[in-house]
Amino acid sequence: MRFVSFRSTTSVLVTTALLLIATAPSQAQTRAETLRYVTGASVNTLDPNIPGSTRESFALSMSTYDRLVAFGRKQLNGKWVFDLDTITGELAESYEVSSDGLKLTFRLRKDAKFQDGSPVTAEDVKWSLDRCVTAPILGKAQLLTGSLTSADQFKVIDPLTIEVTLPKPDKLALPNLATVYPMIINSKVARAHATPDDPWATAWLKEHTAGSGAYVVESFKPGEQVILKRDESWNRGSANKPAFFKRVIVQSVPEPATRANLVERGDADLVLDLQASDVQSLEGKGKLKVISTPQYNAITYVSMNNQIPPFDNVNVRRAIAYALPYEDMFKAALFGRGSPLFGASWADGKPANGIYPFQQPVKLDLDKAREYLKAAGLPEGFSTTFSFNVGQAATAEPMAALVKESLGKIGIKVDIQKLPDAQMSTQINEKKLPFYTEGIVAWLPSTDYFYRNFYTGNQRWNYSSINNPDLAAIAQEARFEPDKAKYEEAGRKLNAMHFDLMPQIMLWQPNQDAVMAPSIEGYTYEFHRQVDYRDVSRK
Amino acid sequence: MMTGLGATMVRAGKRLLSSLPALFGVLVFTFLLMRVLPGDPAVFFASGPNAGKEEIEQIRKQMGLDKSVPEQLVFYLSDIGRGNLGRSMMTGQPVLKDLRERLPASLELTFTALLIALIAAVPLGVVAALRPGSIVDHGVRLFCALGVCVPTFVSGLLLIYVFYYLLGLAPDPTGRIDVFTSLPPQRTGFLSIDFLLAGDFEGWWAACKQLILPAVSMALFVIAPLARITRASMLVSLGSDFVRTARSVGLSWRKVVVTYALRNAILPVITIAGIVFSTMLGANVLVEKVFSWPGVASYALDALLSSDYAPVQGFVLLMASLFVLVNLVVDICYGIADPRVSIE
């Protein structure tokens, strides 16, 4: 009796399986031309310039809009990453930088069209760049880092030529135009939806696109998914061809375990932001392609507020730097998936080059830590709190436990404080946290940019609240230094100062783990740390 | 009969009116609670690498946080009066639109789960009550205990692992419908109904398949209280005079158990089902997360984590209104199940 019922179940299963196989080919055809990309966060606006926009929104805008220029790509340890030093044309057919570095001239492609079929003109470019520096949007603060601050700087020469004038030769002016914000908008369409209160059509562009990008938005459900359709006339891909995939589905799946299941079962093509343990097991099974790229424009820190005692004492900061169990933290938090910024050996006691971030010659050495504590006049140690935000609990929690344990050995009593994300951002902004861990990302990772933004001024990103006029002066000067050797020298000086002052402790650069079907090719690590759908194709 | 129904309606109307002050209280309380919570949403949302003081101020203005709290409250209440629940910073959409889009998803899931739970729990409770102390009774108790002690996200992940990952029987656990299926014209917002109205049975089946796993993992969790109440109230009912009388006059077993005992035992089950329904709507946040279900609970949680005031306030108001509504429905069901209730 049992046997029979078992057999009937089996036959049902077999029939179901056969049915599935029978229906598979018709599905497979549409699947092959579709990229299904699943991610933890969601697209919340179609205009990345809106305050509060997510990383997914950045990536989306790269495909729905074009910029004047784009970053090239290069190989780093056998993996494709974006290349800050190669700027290629996107809407610009060619560009020229004047010999004094004060004028950038862009010649637009003759064949570039917006998605409504109208040609891209210099007028549109000017309107879009004007919007970026004038409207109250995110682009304003970004373009400021490239000396682009006023609409007067953008001049239409003829319908296909636009000229950008700079007050000083700024290395970051051109790369800034390749970032997310200065996208080129169809000004006629956007203007038609502008209102006297909202002359730059920010409200309309949040839910609609008017670009010339590789993909057209087919449906947009904030918080759930976006479906994109290829723009067949877009030809700014490699070999002047349209993008590979006919359709792209960007779907939010908050649960990382589910994302891992989806890609393993072959239902999703490409996944980012999995748990380190899942990535390790998927890599072990060997069925999928796993591309792990160190996020070379991101850094995880242990920060100390240099204005709050006892961290205002350099010897206390040095003591902490020698009391952190780096190796254990790296393994516990990231399963070793990243590149460490500790444990270097500097032969002559000087930094090897002027690139930031760099590996510092610090490692766990409790005797040395005790000496520094004594030098600081705190041989018995002290009490403090170590904070991290809930959103990063997966990596920060094990790390915090190790910090507490290790500092306990030299008499520093640590209370671990886990804060909701909004609360943590508030406290960091108000400079109230003495000791905590945080991470940063810079789109344009050049040494002076890092030092200017993260080690000077009374702003949020100066996590250590360091206020050192020498450091600030060197970083400021380096910004406009045209001579490569002198720039490198300034970088070396800054790095040496970093090690000497130890305002905060760089820990590592976490990997970006992209897990994909074996048939997916061309994945490139981009500055916005998301997938550029135009990069990928299917074998 | 008409008078009975009329009386029920009058009672329902009175109940609705008397709940308005409570709703207002909830409104003000949630508003104040959100303001008291530490964490500045403006700073959180201005988290881009270049967001400085200016951006923070701008977001603060956009969210209306630059005004004093009493002023904000007045603006908020007048907005609510005009049916405007504010705008979510997370999705960039008006909260009302978000909730309207997401509520049907949550309701469909919760109704299905409750239906599954009732279909399983009532017979289980009845069977257990008919043979108290027997192996069957203990079996039911064990099953209920297992259901309650396994949290919904664990059972959800387990179901996904077995039915999706290992066996491949279930569709991928993301959202309400396979991404490749085209949606029916929206009428009720309930996909299982909209597909039927559109006459698309393939789509209907796809939507149902997608619904099974999350609904089952939610149902497992609430079978226990429903089954326990059914059992207890059946025991009382079976031991009462009217059942003994019914038995003694030689009515069939079926008639005694179903018509006399169960009909009388069902009242407390309706009450509990009402309460269970309201709690499920808010508490299914973990199921919604695990199955990427675009419902209101996961929406509210995300909003809470990022101190996005408007959606949280909107969600609480919605929940409070639903609670009032569910209580009304329970009242009406009472009146139908036992007309004596309507007599004042």
Side-chain angles (χ1 to χ4, degrees):
Chain A
M1 195 54 200
R2 274 195 181 278
F3 183 58
V4 172
S5 79
F6 171 67
R7 269 184 46 182
S8 70
T9 335
T10 325
S11 74
V12 169
L13 282 179
V14 168
T15 327
T16 324
L18 283 176
L19 273 173
L20 283 178
I21 292 166
T23 53
S26 66
Q27 275 189 349
Q29 282 202 342
T30 58
R31 280 291 280 124
E33 292 168 328
T34 304
L35 176 77
R36 186 172 172 199
Y37 167 56
V38 291
T39 150
S42 59
V43 177
N44 60 353
T45 156
L46 295 178
D47 177 358
N49 278 296
I50 303 294
S53 53
T54 57
R55 277 202 284 147
E56 275 69 14
S57 312
F58 296 162
L60 190 87
S61 84
M62 295 307 285
S63 290
T64 49
Y65 287 95
D66 288 323
R67 281 121 194 99
L68 277 178
V69 286
F71 292 121
R73 61 176 201 164
K74 63 179 178 188
Q75 291 244 314
L76 188 76
N77 305 327
K79 287 150 196 160
W80 287 107
V81 300
F82 76 98
D83 182 4
L84 190 67
D85 302 318
T86 323
I87 308 272
T88 59
E90 194 159 271
L91 276 177
E93 190 177 62
S94 65
Y95 65 85
E96 242 165 68
V97 183
S98 65
S99 56
D100 57 2
L102 293 177
K103 265 198 176 69
L104 309 173
T105 315
F106 298 91
R107 250 166 252 293
L108 300 181
R109 298 177 70 122
K110 292 171 203 73
D111 57 350
K113 293 217 165 34
F114 283 114
Q115 286 164 354
D116 70 350
S118 60
V120 179
T121 65
E123 282 295 339
D124 295 302
V125 176
K126 169 150 176 72
W127 188 83
S128 307
L129 296 180
D130 286 358
R131 177 180 189 263
C132 224
V133 296
T134 318
I137 52 175
L138 293 178
K140 208 172 168 181
Q142 175 66 40
L143 292 197
L144 190 76
T145 66
S147 301
L148 300 164
T149 52
S150 143
D152 306 338
Q153 290 174 268
F154 312 115
K155 204 168 120 198
V156 175
I157 304 290
D158 64 54
L160 289 175
T161 316
I162 185 144
E163 191 181 81
V164 177
T165 337
L166 300 171
K168 268 183 174 185
D170 191 322
K171 284 185 282 298
L172 293 186
L174 189 60
N176 250 305
L177 293 175
T179 61
V180 170
Y181 302 129
M183 59 198 201
I184 306 306
I185 302 164
N186 188 336
S187 64
K188 279 141 282 176
V189 175
R191 266 195 220 143
H193 293 93
T195 60
D197 289 344
D198 181 16
W200 300 103
T202 50
W204 188 79
L205 285 168
K206 199 166 161 180
E207 279 156 48
H208 303 86
T209 49
S212 58
Y215 284 97
V216 184
V217 176
E218 195 176 272
S219 84
F220 169 44
K221 284 193 210 160
E224 286 178 59
Q225 65 182 41
V226 188
I227 298 180
L228 300 175
K229 200 173 67 190
R230 180 167 70 186
D231 178 356
E232 301 295 338
S233 66
W234 188 85
N235 57 0
R236 294 174 277 292
S238 53
N240 294 333
K241 279 203 306 224
F244 177 85
F245 285 102
K246 259 192 175 158
R247 282 175 102 206
V248 175
I249 298 173
V250 183
Q251 200 180 9
S252 304
V253 176
E255 177 64 40
T258 308
R259 290 202 292 277
N261 282 342
L262 282 172
V263 69
E264 197 179 351
R265 292 273 316 172
D267 283 326
D269 296 308
L270 182 51
V271 184
L272 288 189
D273 301 332
L274 292 179
Q275 278 164 351
S277 52
D278 282 341
V279 178
Q280 207 163 35
S281 89
L282 287 177
E283 205 167 28
K285 285 179 192 163
K287 281 193 298 190
L288 295 169
K289 206 189 252 182
V290 178
I291 300 183
S292 301
T293 330
Q295 302 184 25
Y296 80 101
N297 55 342
I299 307 156
T300 306
Y301 298 103
V302 162
S303 295
M304 296 164 282
N305 190 324
N306 289 215
Q307 310 296 332
I308 298 181
F311 298 106
D312 55 348
N313 186 323
V314 65
N315 285 320
V316 170
R317 303 198 294 266
R318 287 177 186 149
I320 304 269
Y322 285 101
L324 294 180
Y326 296 97
E327 287 290 348
D328 293 345
M329 284 158 69
F330 191 44
K331 276 190 198 114
L334 290 188
F335 289 75
R337 305 186 71 86
S339 49
L341 296 175
F342 53 84
S345 47
W346 287 356
D348 51 354
K350 284 200 181 111
N353 57 43
I355 297 169
Y356 183 96
F358 57 101
Q359 241 183 321
Q360 293 202 112
V362 288
K363 58 179 195 298
L364 178 64
D365 184 343
L366 290 179
D367 292 332
K368 219 167 177 175
R370 280 193 198 95
E371 267 170 46
Y372 276 123
L373 264 190
K374 211 185 273 173
L378 291 163
E380 303 299 319
F382 56 90
S383 297
T384 185
T385 54
F386 184 74
S387 322
F388 62 87
N389 79 38
V390 178
Q392 289 168 2
T395 53
E397 202 144 36
M399 216 172 100
L402 288 165
V403 169
K404 182 186 167 105
E405 189 200 353
S406 189
L407 292 186
K409 289 180 191 159
I410 57 167
I412 302 176
K413 206 181 147 288
V414 177
D415 263 337
I416 296 176
Q417 196 183 31
K418 189 169 164 180
L419 295 173
D421 299 19
Q423 205 176 331
M424 178 103 178
S425 334
T426 310
Q427 299 228 32
I428 289 178
N429 196 45
E430 289 169 3
K431 310 274 172 204
K432 280 189 180 147
L433 296 177
F435 186 39
Y436 60 100
T437 177
E438 254 299 349
I440 57 125
V441 186
W443 281 352
L444 308 171
S446 69
T447 304
D448 72 292
Y449 182 86
F450 273 118
Y451 278 103
R452 280 185 295 118
N453 281 297
F454 302 106
Y455 292 94
T456 63
N458 181 29
Q459 31 94 10
R460 171 182 182 175
W461 309 107
N462 184 357
Y463 287 141
S464 52
S465 300
I466 178 181
N467 181 15
N468 185 309
D470 293 344
L471 188 146
I474 300 174
Q476 203 54 44
E477 217 170 292
R479 177 179 182 183
F480 300 109
E481 179 55 69
D483 187 83
K484 281 221 158 98
K486 277 189 190 155
Y487 184 80
E488 172 77 9
E489 191 44 42
R492 263 178 222 264
K493 252 190 229 164
L494 289 168
N495 286 348
M497 285 178 89
H498 190 286
F499 176 60
D500 181 47
L501 295 169
M502 199 59 79
Q504 58 183 352
I505 305 159
M506 289 181 277
L507 292 179
W508 50 67
Q509 300 181 290
N511 274 356
Q512 169 102 285
D513 295 309
V515 179
M516 61 200 86
S519 58
I520 301 290
E521 285 185 326
Y523 167 79
T524 306
Y525 175 74
E526 292 288 349
F527 64 98
H528 46 71
R529 297 186 301 146
Q530 280 283 309
V531 179
D532 190 326
Y533 324 128
R534 300 171 300 179
D535 290 338
V536 284
S537 61
R538 202 191 291 277
K539 233 182 327 198
Chain B
M1 191 61 210
M2 262 320 281
T3 51
L5 195 64
T8 310
M9 280 326 197
V10 170
R11 253 164 39 83
K14 277 189 189 159
R15 275 286 179 90
L16 197 62
L17 276 180
S18 64
S19 58
L20 284 180
L23 276 184
F24 182 77
V26 165
L27 214 65
V28 175
F29 179 72
T30 327
F31 176 86
L32 293 178
L33 191 70
M34 287 308 289
R35 267 46 182 196
V36 173
L37 284 180
D40 184 345
V43 177
F44 178 78
F45 285 109
S47 60
N50 290 297
K53 291 222 159 52
E54 204 179 317
E55 278 70 29
I56 295 173
E57 272 318 307
Q58 190 199 325
I59 292 183
R60 199 165 276 147
K61 214 165 152 192
Q62 207 177 319
M63 293 178 86
L65 299 173
D66 52 339
K67 301 188 181 67
S68 71
V69 173
E71 261 181 291
Q72 287 182 41
L73 182 60
V74 170
F75 278 116
Y76 175 59
L77 290 177
S78 78
D79 273 351
I80 296 269
R82 280 180 280 131
N84 177 8
L85 294 182
R87 205 172 250 277
S88 159
M89 288 296 291
M90 276 183 322
T91 62
Q93 303 283 314
V95 171
L96 198 64
K97 185 168 175 246
D98 275 343
L99 289 178
R100 209 167 34 213
E101 269 167 18
R102 286 164 170 265
L103 185 62
S106 281
L107 284 179
E108 188 174 36
L109 178 60
T110 312
F111 272 129
T112 315
L114 189 64
L115 196 70
I116 295 175
L118 280 174
I119 288 174
V122 172
L124 279 177
V126 171
V127 168
L130 287 175
R131 302 259 182 286
S134 70
I135 297 228
V136 181
D137 191 16
H138 286 300
V140 170
R141 195 170 297 161
L142 180 73
F143 179 72
C144 291
L146 278 178
V148 167
C149 71
V150 180
T152 45
F153 70 94
V154 175
S155 52
L157 285 176
L158 250 159
L159 288 173
I160 291 177
Y161 182 71
V162 174
F163 290 99
Y164 169 66
Y165 180 77
L166 286 182
L167 299 177
L169 288 175
D172 61 63
T174 52
R176 303 173 73 186
I177 189 81
D178 178 20
V179 278
F180 296 100
T181 311
S182 49
L183 287 172
Q186 183 156 355
R187 291 188 188 141
T188 59
F190 283 52
L191 284 184
S192 52
I193 297 176
D194 284 353
F195 271 121
L196 281 184
L197 289 178
D200 179 356
F201 293 102
E202 207 175 310
W204 177 80
W205 177 230
C208 288
K209 274 199 296 192
Q210 205 82 15
L211 194 57
I212 294 172
L213 287 194
V216 166
S217 50
M218 266 167 81
L220 280 178
F221 194 64
V222 293
I223 282 179
L226 293 172
R228 299 303 298 166
I229 288 289
T230 313
R231 179 182 178 274
S233 119
M234 262 311 264
L235 275 179
V236 173
S237 189
L238 284 170
S240 64
D241 291 344
F242 60 87
V243 169
R244 204 177 52 203
T245 314
R247 273 210 187 119
S248 66
V249 297
L251 288 179
S252 72
W253 179 85
R254 231 183 94 110
K255 189 137 185 144
V256 172
V257 172
V258 177
T259 315
Y260 289 88
L262 187 59
R263 179 150 182 203
N264 279 286
I266 211 75
L267 276 185
V269 179
I270 295 178
T271 316
I272 295 294
I275 295 174
V276 161
F277 178 80
S278 319
T279 45
M280 267 160 97
L281 252 185
N284 59 18
V285 51
L286 291 171
V287 174
E288 288 186 2
K289 279 271 171 228
V290 168
F291 290 92
S292 313
W293 200 261
V296 282
S298 60
Y299 172 70
L301 181 76
D302 288 344
L304 191 61
L305 282 180
S306 47
S307 288
D308 195 354
Y309 292 162
V312 178
Q313 286 162 193
F315 172 76
V316 175
L317 182 63
L318 176 74
M319 283 296 124
S321 319
L322 276 173
F323 198 75
V324 169
L325 215 67
V326 168
N327 274 327
L328 266 182
V329 173
V330 168
D331 263 10
I332 295 170
C333 288
Y334 255 55
I336 294 167
D338 184 354
R340 284 174 304 171
V341 176
S342 307
I343 299 166
E344 302 207 4

